[in-house]
Amino acid sequence: MSRFELGFKSSDLPVMLKDCRYENDTCASFYFRVDDQYYQLWVEHKEKAQREDPNSPRYTVCKAINEGDEAFPEIYTDHDFTDLFQTEEPSAMIRFVSEMQ
């Protein structure tokens, strides 16, 4: 199996990404904060054939909630909201996240 490539460097983003992947996740996920709001970034495999759903976009940004506390955050997608942004292109995702600031 090939190494998972994000398609971008975390330093390309104006936010601090925190890895929140679990063993059973099929794609990478990270969380970040803008002001008091948490967000989650899901990153699928570059090759659509390796994705759980080949029709899903490579990058998805969604609102997230912290079910823990500040010292021990437990960040999960907030399913009360639709996805904020989806794209195949890392540059479009970087632009979207940058504009959230």
Side-chain angles (χ1 to χ4, degrees):
M1 183 177 211
S2 63
R3 192 175 132 233
F4 190 88
E5 295 289 334
L6 294 176
F8 66 94
K9 296 181 288 193
S10 61
S11 62
D12 293 338
L13 295 167
V15 295
M16 171 86 62
L17 293 180
K18 307 267 183 163
D19 194 332
C20 60
R21 288 177 273 196
Y22 296 99
E23 290 179 13
N24 61 344
D25 285 345
T26 57
C27 63
S29 64
F30 305 89
Y31 74 88
F32 62 95
R33 274 176 80 168
V34 175
D35 298 322
D36 291 331
Q37 177 63 56
Y38 285 93
Y39 297 91
Q40 197 160 14
L41 168 63
W42 292 91
V43 182
E44 281 281 4
H45 289 273
K46 183 177 182 177
E47 299 300 322
K48 290 184 178 190
Q50 292 184 343
R51 299 177 190 176
E52 183 176 4
D53 177 357
N55 296 316
S56 66
R58 180 147 193 226
Y59 302 100
T60 300
V61 177
C62 53
K63 281 193 171 188
I65 54 174
N66 182 3
E67 293 187 356
D69 57 30
E70 292 302 312
F72 301 100
E74 294 181 35
I75 308 301
Y76 301 98
T77 297
D78 189 341
H79 294 289
D80 288 340
F81 296 91
T82 59
D83 295 336
L84 298 174
F85 186 76
Q86 297 180 326
T87 186
E88 286 294 318
E89 298 301 320
S91 60
M93 179 274 297
I94 291 166
R95 190 170 38 258
F96 178 80
V97 172
S98 297
E99 291 172 357
M100 296 173 75
Q101 296 289 301

